[in-house]
Short mmCIF file of all heavy atoms in Angstrom, two decimals:
data_model
loop_
_atom_site.label_atom_id
_atom_site.label_comp_id
_atom_site.label_asym_id
_atom_site.label_seq_id
_atom_site.Cartn_x
_atom_site.Cartn_y
_atom_site.Cartn_z
N SER A 50 24.19 114.43 46.68
CA SER A 50 23.37 115.39 45.92
C SER A 50 21.93 115.51 46.46
O SER A 50 21.25 116.50 46.17
CB SER A 50 23.35 115.02 44.43
OG SER A 50 22.75 113.76 44.25
N ILE A 51 21.47 114.55 47.23
CA ILE A 51 20.11 114.64 47.79
C ILE A 51 20.13 114.70 49.32
O ILE A 51 19.13 114.42 49.97
CB ILE A 51 19.21 113.47 47.31
CG1 ILE A 51 19.76 112.12 47.75
CG2 ILE A 51 19.00 113.54 45.81
CD1 ILE A 51 18.78 110.97 47.57
N CYS A 52 21.25 115.07 49.89
CA CYS A 52 21.41 115.11 51.34
C CYS A 52 20.39 116.02 52.02
O CYS A 52 19.95 115.74 53.12
CB CYS A 52 22.83 115.53 51.71
SG CYS A 52 23.21 115.22 53.45
N GLU A 53 20.02 117.10 51.36
CA GLU A 53 19.01 118.00 51.94
C GLU A 53 17.64 117.32 52.03
O GLU A 53 16.86 117.61 52.91
CB GLU A 53 18.90 119.29 51.11
CG GLU A 53 20.08 120.20 51.25
CD GLU A 53 20.21 120.78 52.65
OE1 GLU A 53 19.19 121.19 53.23
OE2 GLU A 53 21.35 120.80 53.17
N GLN A 54 17.38 116.42 51.08
CA GLN A 54 16.07 115.77 51.03
C GLN A 54 16.02 114.48 51.86
O GLN A 54 15.02 114.21 52.52
CB GLN A 54 15.67 115.44 49.59
CG GLN A 54 15.35 116.65 48.74
CD GLN A 54 16.60 117.37 48.26
OE1 GLN A 54 17.64 116.75 48.02
NE2 GLN A 54 16.51 118.68 48.12
N VAL A 55 17.09 113.66 51.80
CA VAL A 55 17.09 112.37 52.49
C VAL A 55 18.45 112.14 53.11
O VAL A 55 19.47 112.19 52.42
CB VAL A 55 16.76 111.20 51.52
CG1 VAL A 55 16.76 109.88 52.26
CG2 VAL A 55 15.44 111.42 50.82
N ARG A 56 18.46 111.84 54.40
CA ARG A 56 19.72 111.59 55.09
C ARG A 56 19.45 110.80 56.36
O ARG A 56 18.32 110.72 56.83
CB ARG A 56 20.41 112.91 55.43
CG ARG A 56 19.62 113.78 56.38
CD ARG A 56 19.93 115.25 56.21
NE ARG A 56 18.99 116.07 56.95
CZ ARG A 56 17.78 116.43 56.52
NH1 ARG A 56 17.36 116.03 55.35
NH2 ARG A 56 17.01 117.18 57.26
N PHE A 57 20.51 110.23 56.91
CA PHE A 57 20.44 109.58 58.21
C PHE A 57 21.04 110.53 59.23
O PHE A 57 22.08 111.13 58.99
CB PHE A 57 21.23 108.27 58.22
CG PHE A 57 20.64 107.20 57.35
CD1 PHE A 57 21.41 106.60 56.36
CD2 PHE A 57 19.34 106.77 57.51
CE1 PHE A 57 20.89 105.61 55.55
CE2 PHE A 57 18.80 105.79 56.71
CZ PHE A 57 19.58 105.21 55.73
N VAL A 58 20.37 110.68 60.34
CA VAL A 58 20.90 111.49 61.43
C VAL A 58 20.57 110.78 62.74
O VAL A 58 19.44 110.36 62.96
CB VAL A 58 20.34 112.94 61.41
CG1 VAL A 58 18.82 112.97 61.52
CG2 VAL A 58 20.96 113.78 62.50
N HIS A 59 21.58 110.58 63.57
CA HIS A 59 21.37 109.90 64.85
C HIS A 59 20.70 110.88 65.81
O HIS A 59 21.28 111.88 66.20
CB HIS A 59 22.71 109.42 65.41
CG HIS A 59 22.57 108.66 66.69
ND1 HIS A 59 23.65 108.14 67.33
CD2 HIS A 59 21.50 108.31 67.45
CE1 HIS A 59 23.25 107.52 68.43
NE2 HIS A 59 21.95 107.63 68.51
N TRP A 60 19.48 110.59 66.18
CA TRP A 60 18.72 111.44 67.07
C TRP A 60 17.96 110.58 68.07
O TRP A 60 17.93 109.36 67.93
CB TRP A 60 17.76 112.33 66.27
CG TRP A 60 17.37 113.56 67.02
CD1 TRP A 60 16.11 113.91 67.42
CD2 TRP A 60 18.23 114.61 67.46
NE1 TRP A 60 16.15 115.11 68.09
CE2 TRP A 60 17.46 115.55 68.13
CE3 TRP A 60 19.61 114.82 67.36
CZ2 TRP A 60 17.98 116.70 68.70
CZ3 TRP A 60 20.14 115.97 67.93
CH2 TRP A 60 19.32 116.89 68.58
N PHE A 61 17.35 111.19 69.06
CA PHE A 61 16.56 110.43 70.02
C PHE A 61 15.27 111.17 70.32
O PHE A 61 15.14 112.36 70.07
CB PHE A 61 17.36 110.17 71.30
CG PHE A 61 17.60 111.40 72.13
CD1 PHE A 61 16.73 111.72 73.17
CD2 PHE A 61 18.66 112.23 71.87
CE1 PHE A 61 16.94 112.86 73.93
CE2 PHE A 61 18.89 113.37 72.62
CZ PHE A 61 18.02 113.68 73.66
N ASN A 62 14.32 110.45 70.89
CA ASN A 62 13.00 110.98 71.16
C ASN A 62 12.50 110.41 72.48
O ASN A 62 12.41 109.19 72.62
CB ASN A 62 12.06 110.61 70.00
CG ASN A 62 10.68 111.19 70.14
OD1 ASN A 62 10.35 111.88 71.10
ND2 ASN A 62 9.85 110.91 69.15
N THR A 63 12.18 111.28 73.44
CA THR A 63 11.60 110.81 74.70
C THR A 63 10.10 111.02 74.71
O THR A 63 9.43 110.71 75.70
CB THR A 63 12.23 111.57 75.90
OG1 THR A 63 11.97 112.97 75.75
CG2 THR A 63 13.71 111.32 76.00
N GLY A 64 9.57 111.53 73.61
CA GLY A 64 8.13 111.77 73.51
C GLY A 64 7.47 110.75 72.60
O GLY A 64 7.83 109.57 72.60
N VAL A 65 6.52 111.22 71.82
CA VAL A 65 5.82 110.35 70.87
C VAL A 65 6.14 110.81 69.45
O VAL A 65 7.07 111.58 69.24
CB VAL A 65 4.28 110.36 71.11
CG1 VAL A 65 3.94 109.70 72.43
CG2 VAL A 65 3.71 111.75 71.07
N ALA A 66 5.33 110.39 68.51
CA ALA A 66 5.55 110.70 67.10
C ALA A 66 5.75 112.19 66.87
O ALA A 66 5.13 113.02 67.54
CB ALA A 66 4.37 110.20 66.28
N PHE A 67 6.65 112.51 65.93
CA PHE A 67 6.94 113.87 65.52
C PHE A 67 7.55 114.71 66.66
O PHE A 67 7.46 115.93 66.65
CB PHE A 67 5.71 114.56 64.94
CG PHE A 67 4.97 113.71 63.95
CD1 PHE A 67 3.67 113.32 64.18
CD2 PHE A 67 5.60 113.27 62.79
CE1 PHE A 67 3.00 112.52 63.27
CE2 PHE A 67 4.93 112.48 61.88
CZ PHE A 67 3.63 112.09 62.11
N GLY A 68 8.11 114.04 67.67
CA GLY A 68 8.79 114.74 68.76
C GLY A 68 7.87 115.44 69.74
O GLY A 68 8.31 116.25 70.54
N MET A 69 6.61 115.13 69.71
CA MET A 69 5.66 115.78 70.62
C MET A 69 5.79 115.19 72.03
O MET A 69 6.14 114.03 72.20
CB MET A 69 4.22 115.61 70.11
CG MET A 69 3.95 116.29 68.79
SD MET A 69 2.23 116.22 68.26
CE MET A 69 1.91 114.48 68.19
N PHE A 70 5.46 115.99 73.02
CA PHE A 70 5.38 115.58 74.43
C PHE A 70 6.70 115.01 74.95
O PHE A 70 6.73 113.97 75.61
CB PHE A 70 4.23 114.59 74.66
CG PHE A 70 2.92 115.05 74.10
CD1 PHE A 70 2.34 114.40 73.03
CD2 PHE A 70 2.27 116.16 74.63
CE1 PHE A 70 1.13 114.84 72.49
CE2 PHE A 70 1.06 116.59 74.11
CZ PHE A 70 0.49 115.94 73.04
N GLN A 71 7.80 115.69 74.66
CA GLN A 71 9.13 115.27 75.11
C GLN A 71 9.19 115.16 76.63
O GLN A 71 8.53 115.92 77.34
CB GLN A 71 10.19 116.25 74.62
CG GLN A 71 10.41 116.22 73.12
CD GLN A 71 10.94 114.89 72.63
OE1 GLN A 71 11.89 114.34 73.18
NE2 GLN A 71 10.32 114.36 71.60
N GLY A 72 9.98 114.21 77.11
CA GLY A 72 10.22 114.05 78.54
C GLY A 72 9.18 113.22 79.27
O GLY A 72 9.19 113.15 80.49
N ASN A 73 8.29 112.58 78.55
CA ASN A 73 7.25 111.76 79.18
C ASN A 73 7.46 110.28 78.90
O ASN A 73 6.51 109.53 78.73
CB ASN A 73 5.87 112.21 78.69
CG ASN A 73 5.51 113.59 79.17
OD1 ASN A 73 5.41 113.82 80.37
ND2 ASN A 73 5.35 114.52 78.25
N GLY A 74 8.73 109.87 78.86
CA GLY A 74 9.06 108.49 78.50
C GLY A 74 8.38 107.44 79.34
O GLY A 74 7.90 106.43 78.83
N ASP A 75 8.32 107.65 80.67
CA ASP A 75 7.69 106.66 81.55
C ASP A 75 6.21 106.51 81.26
O ASP A 75 5.66 105.40 81.25
CB ASP A 75 7.92 107.01 83.02
CG ASP A 75 9.36 106.80 83.45
OD1 ASP A 75 10.08 106.01 82.78
OD2 ASP A 75 9.78 107.42 84.44
#
Side-chain angles (χ1 to χ4, degrees):
S50 62
I51 62 168
C52 193
E53 288 294 317
Q54 290 78 32
V55 180
R56 63 207 170 277
F57 293 124
V58 59
H59 182 179
W60 203 242
F61 70 95
N62 184 359
T63 59
V65 292
F67 314 118
M69 296 185 302
F70 310 112
Q71 291 296 312
N73 293 298
D75 289 337

